[in-house]
Amino acid sequence: MGATVDWLRTTTPGLLVLCGLAIAVLLFAIIKFKLEPFIALLLTGLGLALAAGLPVTKIVGTAIKPGDSLLETGFGGILGHIAVIIGLGTVLGAILERSGGADVLTGKLLKLFGDKGAPVAMGLLGLIFGIPVFFDIGIFVLAPLIYVAAKRGGRSLVLYAMPMLAGLSMTHAFLPPHPGPVALGGLLGVSLGWLILMGFVCGIPGFIAAGLVWGTYIGKRVQVEVPDEFLVRPQDKVAANAGDGPGALQAAGATRTELRPPSVWLIGAIIAIPLVLILGATFGTQLLAAGSTLLSVLTFLGTPAVALLIAVLVAFYVLGVRRGSTVQQLSALTAESLRPVGMLLLVVGAGAFFGKIISATGIGTALADTMSAAGLPVIVLAYLISCGLRIAQGSATVAIVTTGGIVAPLVAEQGYSQVSIALIAMAIAAGSIILSHVNDGGFWIIAKYFNLTVKQTLQTWSVLETVLSVVSFAVAAILFAIVS
């Protein structure tokens, strides 16, 4: 027994077995017992630490000084990096949605592209509005607009929904301030500016292939009508009277400001503020002399938390105060939008703790040795691990934070550039969205909101996510081979 324990704790095969068992237990707890991912990650991380023989004082610290423990540094390190960003991003998305920004963008795009180009317009709508808005919130907000466009065009709902969903999924998977990319920035030590650049570079080809090419192809072959009840906009009704369909959540989200709708350029400018500021700091670091006044200004303004705070304050004024909202109403909107963020942050923190344990046990070094012997590039390993976790348990966030924790030691040992690390992050993000199926909550939201059977959802949405994943990873892998 003692020899087996020593083998597990001190040899490369043994450490790999421990890692594999820990991940299997994690997936079993989430899938079989339906345990909340936050609890499952925390339990599995503690169990792996004890099984690997880490000292208790290193795992949880002491009663007097717990601050240096893996538990607190694992949670605190990542949450200190992402909590403010995710919170501000959520508030920005809420004020943009509530002001009627989605309706304005839809009208402008439909006018530009016409009825025949409406699917492309819907794709761009999802792409643009998806930058500041979480994926599921984007569906709740944009679905009624898709219904109207599909009814007016007289074609399958699938033809209009798939491009929009591809845009929302791409931005959610690859671009800050969404939780996955932000978490990867902290786990892998890469700036959000490079993640934004590589997110667009890798994600746009995937969006075109999945949303426009595949969406158009499958939209002509899977015919889905828009039910009449889906066309009722219940903004003037209370949620209790809206039923169980898409209107219920739309009504529960509070009414939008319908008077004097904001211009499309104003909405676009507000969305662009944090992206421009963050990219300014990234390029400034490369082009300007260290210690210069201009670089200091760009660095301060381009810090993600500061950039998003500026965008939120601008949005509060131009979309809120200037349009008649009171500070109290904006505060209520902020509180309402932040309610769902708590569990998300706990999952990310627990995933980072799990990754910290993996790093402390030396499993990362063992994986590096195995990978080198097999000749498997780190970007391929990262993608495959992320794919496996996504397919097995359904949560993209769990797949991202777990994979990020596993590969972070490998990335650190190789001394990659920021561009290369950002491309590895894109590979992890791409793997985290592959093959959405029945264990993914988003699968059921899409089936319900777009009147799809399970078979139709698998034919349309599941394939779309796989195409988006594979194409985006292919772009990341090719660029990685060039720059590394």
Side-chain angles (χ1 to χ4, degrees), residues 291-376:
S292 68
T293 302
L294 180 57
L295 179 59
S296 297
V297 172
L298 289 175
T299 300
F300 177 77
L301 295 178
T303 300
V306 176
L308 279 165
L309 179 60
I310 292 171
V312 167
L313 293 176
V314 170
F316 273 175
Y317 176 70
V318 299
L319 299 179
V321 174
R322 205 173 72 175
R323 292 161 55 82
S325 296
T326 66
V327 174
Q328 290 78 9
Q329 289 171 329
L330 293 173
S331 296
L333 172 63
T334 300
E336 177 190 348
S337 66
L338 290 176
R339 287 193 189 104
V341 172
M343 183 54 71
L344 174 64
L345 293 177
L346 288 174
V347 170
V348 173
F353 165 65
F354 184 72
K356 197 87 169 177
I357 294 296
I358 288 175
S359 178
T361 59
I363 293 173
T365 303
L367 277 173
D369 294 340
T370 302
M371 181 186 65
S372 299
L376 192 64

Side-chain angles (χ1 to χ4, degrees), residues 281-290 295:
T282 299
F283 284 120
T285 302
Q286 304 294 320
L287 301 175
L288 299 175
L295 179 59

